[in-house]
Amino acid sequence: MQAEQRTDPLAFHGEGPVWSPSWGGLRWLDMFAGDILSLDGDTVHRRHVGSMVVTVRPRRAGGAVLALQRGFALEDADGTITELGDLWSDPLLRLNEGGCDPDGRFYCGSMAFDQYTGAGSLRRLHPDGSVEVVLTGLTISNGLDWSPDGSLAYYNDTATGRVAVFDYSAGTGLTGLRSFVEIPAESGFPDGLTVDSEGGVWVALYGGSAVRRYTQDGRLDAVVEVAASRVTACTFGGPNLDELFITTSREGLDDGEEPLAGSLFRVDAGVTGLPVRAFAG
């Protein structure tokens, strides 16, 4: 499959696309600019929310939960944003990708700006506002999403070159970390991911100009080619959740190199996605 360009190259580092009817469709991020982008027909709206914004998910009560550079924030239904405080003081670390589990808890990983090995961790924000560390020793904590029945969670620590999988339950959380798919470096590095209604896992390949779909047994099933090498994340959207939206980045590129990098792309996926899981807080 070949993805089509959906917007101009508006983002320096496009990331984190999410479709939610509660906010009228698609949002994605211009991460280092601290901006949330939203699509209204062919018009893109931009809202600045902080020095950096790395993840956004809807809240069950309306609004959104945000991960900023070093902490979480809550957006109310009227757009008011309340920051919950920094999780650490070290300016060399930042939050990165995340998502909500089937029980409404919000997870977000961290990493060092220089991608120092093992400096990152994975944190869980509970609906009552408490935060706990659930995984340490990570390098580039990235895509996270759950299987349709919620019993498995797929996860990327980009530096490992693999898509990993956990067992999941409300009581024990993420357990049994193991490899799901190994991706050779020449194909790109696993970045964001999403899971479809059949249990297929769609993985954005940073440096690979593609999104790959793997079946539940780890077999490569489909490849979406993208006219930009730095493919960062993907999500299902559209009224029927049958469009795959794909974000890309210009980070590290020279002026004039890869002119479509930073654009939002889309493709008819041939399968439907799952409704986004929302934060219960």
Side-chain angles (χ1 to χ4, degrees):
M1 293 182 280
Q2 181 71 50
E4 64 181 20
Q5 185 185 10
R6 184 64 178 83
T7 72
D8 291 335
L10 301 172
F12 174 74
H13 188 70
E15 264 287 2
V18 182
W19 180 280
S20 176
S22 68
W23 57 43
L26 186 72
R27 288 184 179 182
W28 73 107
L29 311 173
D30 193 351
M31 191 179 80
F32 294 120
D35 293 348
I36 297 176
L37 308 179
S38 57
L39 194 61
D40 180 10
D42 291 327
T43 301
V44 176
H45 301 282
R46 180 183 289 265
R47 183 187 183 198
H48 186 69
V49 296
S51 60
M52 184 179 296
V53 58
V54 302
T55 312
V56 60
R57 288 293 186 276
R59 296 170 67 187
R60 291 179 183 174
V65 59
L66 310 175
L68 305 176
Q69 182 171 333
R70 292 199 293 270
F72 301 122
L74 297 178
E75 177 192 45
D76 293 334
D78 65 1
T80 302
I81 293 177
T82 303
E83 296 190 22
L84 303 184
D86 286 352
L87 298 169
W88 60 80
S89 59
D90 188 343
L92 302 180
L93 300 177
R94 67 172 178 86
L95 289 168
N96 202 40
E97 183 62 271
C100 292
D101 69 23
D103 298 286
R105 299 172 294 190
F106 178 61
Y107 294 68
C108 193
S110 64
M111 60 178 287
F113 276 99
D114 66 359
Q115 302 180 11
Y116 186 82
T117 301
S121 58
L122 184 66
R123 286 172 167 79
R124 180 167 60 199
L125 173 66
H126 290 261
D128 65 3
S130 61
V131 180
E132 63 181 316
V133 176
V134 297
L135 199 63
T136 60
L138 308 173
T139 301
I140 307 176
S141 186
N142 239 314
L144 176 66
D145 200 8
W146 276 257
S147 61
D149 67 0
S151 67
L152 299 173
Y154 299 93
Y155 170 71
N156 291 336
D157 182 355
T158 297
T160 65
R162 71 175 184 179
V163 182
V165 61
F166 293 93
D167 298 310
Y168 174 80
S169 71
T172 60
L174 302 174
T175 58
L177 176 66
R178 57 199 181 273
S179 181
F180 173 63
V181 169
E182 301 285 340
I183 297 176
E186 59 269 22
S187 297
F189 297 90
D191 202 317
L193 65 79
T194 192
V195 179
D196 65 38
S197 60
E198 297 177 356
V201 182
W202 299 73
V203 183
L205 296 179
Y206 191 90
S209 304
V211 175
R212 289 184 174 184
R213 181 187 192 263
Y214 293 93
T215 60
Q216 296 177 74
D217 60 1
R219 177 176 55 85
L220 178 61
D221 180 61
V223 177
V224 179
E225 297 178 351
V226 182
S229 64
R230 288 154 167 78
V231 182
T232 55
C234 54
T235 196
F236 284 92
N240 300 314
L241 294 180
D242 57 357
E243 301 176 64
L244 188 73
F245 291 94
I246 303 164
T247 51
T248 62
S249 174
R250 292 204 55 78
E251 185 181 16
L253 296 176
D254 295 330
D255 290 344
E257 188 179 5
E258 296 191 20
L260 300 188
S263 303
L264 178 74
F265 293 81
R266 66 160 299 281
V267 69
D268 293 323
V271 64
T272 57
L274 297 166
V276 61
R277 293 183 172 92
F279 180 53

